[in-house]
Amino acid sequence: MSLSIHPFRLHHAFLFAFLFATPLLLADDTQANALLQQGRVDEAASILQDLLASQPNNAHAHQLLCRVYYAQDKADSAIHECELAVANATDSSEDHMWLARAYGFKASHASPFSALSLAIKVHNEFERAVQLDPENFQAMSDLGEYYVAAPSLIGGGLDKAQALAARMQPNFPAQAHRLLALVAEKKKDIPAAEAEFQAAVAAGKTTEAYINLGDFYKRQNQPDKMLQAIQSALAADHRKGPPLVDAASTLSEAHSSPQLAISLLRTYLASSGKTDGAPAFKVHVQLGGLLAQGGDVAGAHNEYLAALSLASNYVPARKALQGS
């Protein structure tokens, strides 16, 4: 994404300064994003704040700082930065998507009255994100989940989800089948939901699709099928990315195979596939919790310290450390 540059007259001195300053600004932006993906949010925030001090209209920097706060569950700060990102790049689908997510996180922790007004904002921002970029399948998937979960009063509806799935089908069949599975599950049509989750797997045999199938079997209290789906996911996985964390979470929530869950989290933390989709500091806390449950108090303590070394103000890590 290009940087926002204030208009100025390009006489020779300014042109020289622009040509030689731009790579440095881009390097800061790129470095901050790399740190964010690694979960090193303290360092990422420092770089982005310095960058924004000199470039307050840099939409991408605001979006990245929004994600830094979002990763740490700081809803208000995330919303503020994402609103600035959208204000400075009104046609950015990705910025609208992240703003919707920030609103959504706050809504999930708000009073019913506040949640209602926030939910409307979530709906509007996801709609705008999809309108701006019909190829943004992440925004489409998020919007589809909103349609399934929300009542029609605030823009939800299973009919809308089904129509969106039809639009997704040609280019994103796995995501389309997943959305149809969620619709069927909402209708309590469990056989249809299972068939759609299996169709999502067949569409690409991706790690994510297998994890979604495993999570479905967890909800249906079918542990053997859940484990089989997760094993298939691990066989299909090559990036060692966030799906490993999703698989570990599914196992933990089902109170199944704690040692496998621990192994998956450690593999993720040691890999080059980390992203802010599963922030490393949160994974350290998750791993610490599993170790503590297994009696490894010292190991858990070290994981909480590791989390705080990346995100010194992450409240769950601080609380976990105090209790370890």
Side-chain angles (χ1 to χ4, degrees):
M1 186 174 296
S2 61
L3 298 173
S4 297
I5 306 296
H6 290 295
F8 55 82
R9 291 181 301 172
L10 289 177
H11 58 68
H12 292 298
F14 282 108
L15 178 59
F16 181 85
F18 174 75
L19 290 173
F20 284 89
T22 298
L24 294 176
L25 293 175
L26 287 171
D28 284 341
D29 195 77
T30 302
Q31 183 183 10
N33 186 43
L35 290 168
L36 172 61
Q37 302 314 307
Q38 295 166 27
R40 296 162 60 180
V41 289
D42 286 350
E43 295 170 80
S46 178
I47 290 174
L48 290 167
Q49 287 161 353
D50 287 345
L51 179 57
L52 286 166
S54 61
Q55 285 199 321
N57 297 326
N58 187 325
H60 192 218
H62 282 298
Q63 184 220 101
L64 290 174
L65 190 53
C66 167
R67 291 162 63 180
V68 164
Y69 291 130
Y70 181 87
Q72 298 174 82
D73 303 337
K74 297 180 178 181
D76 289 331
S77 296
I79 288 170
H80 175 70
E81 292 299 329
C82 267
E83 285 179 340
L84 289 172
V86 166
N88 286 285
T90 57
D91 291 337
S92 168
S93 172
E94 190 174 6
D95 289 351
H96 283 280
M97 178 185 74
W98 278 105
L99 179 56
R101 290 174 174 178
Y103 284 142
F105 181 80
K106 184 170 183 176
S108 68
H109 296 80
S111 66
F113 180 78
S114 297
L116 182 63
S117 61
L118 285 165
I120 293 171
K121 292 183 177 182
V122 173
H123 170 255
N124 291 342
E125 292 301 324
F126 277 140
E127 288 271 12
R128 183 62 175 150
V130 172
Q131 180 186 37
L132 287 167
D133 182 6
E135 298 298 306
N136 186 344
F137 70 89
Q138 292 179 320
M140 297 176 85
S141 294
D142 286 354
L143 178 60
E145 289 185 28
Y146 181 91
Y147 286 154
V148 172
S152 58
L153 177 67
I154 52 174
L158 299 184
D159 55 338
K160 292 182 178 180
Q162 289 172 310
L164 180 60
R167 287 169 53 195
M168 296 171 70
Q169 182 64 41
N171 295 327
F172 310 109
Q175 289 81 2
H177 283 297
R178 174 181 175 272
L179 180 51
L180 290 173
L182 295 177
V183 170
E185 198 169 356
K186 183 77 171 184
K187 293 179 176 179
K188 302 189 184 305
D189 188 345
I190 302 307
E194 181 177 14
E196 290 294 346
F197 277 120
Q198 290 175 339
V201 168
K205 292 184 168 53
T206 65
T207 307
E208 292 84 354
Y210 280 116
I211 296 297
N212 289 331
L213 179 61
D215 206 39
F216 165 76
Y217 285 133
K218 180 206 73 180
R219 294 192 296 274
Q220 299 306 313
N221 195 28
Q222 298 185 56
D224 291 342
K225 287 187 175 182
M226 177 196 73
L227 282 172
Q228 183 180 359
I230 288 176
Q231 291 293 352
S232 297
L234 300 180
D237 179 57
H238 302 293
R239 299 191 305 269
K240 310 302 179 188
L244 292 182
V245 180
D246 292 336
S249 299
T250 297
L251 291 171
S252 297
E253 290 165 6
H255 305 289
S256 174
S257 308
Q259 290 306 312
L260 175 57
I262 288 170
S263 176
L264 293 176
L265 296 179
R266 283 177 167 158
T267 298
Y268 174 76
L269 289 169
S271 79
S272 60
K274 294 188 290 293
T275 78
D276 63 328
F281 58 89
K282 285 188 173 180
V283 178
H284 279 295
V285 173
Q286 185 175 349
L287 176 56
L290 287 174
L291 292 174
Q293 290 174 20
D296 186 356
V297 177
H301 184 85
N302 289 336
E303 293 301 327
Y304 303 145
L305 288 175
L308 289 171
S309 73
L310 302 173
S312 58
N313 295 313
Y314 185 53
V315 173
R318 288 185 173 276
K319 289 183 177 179
L321 185 63
Q322 292 170 357
S324 67

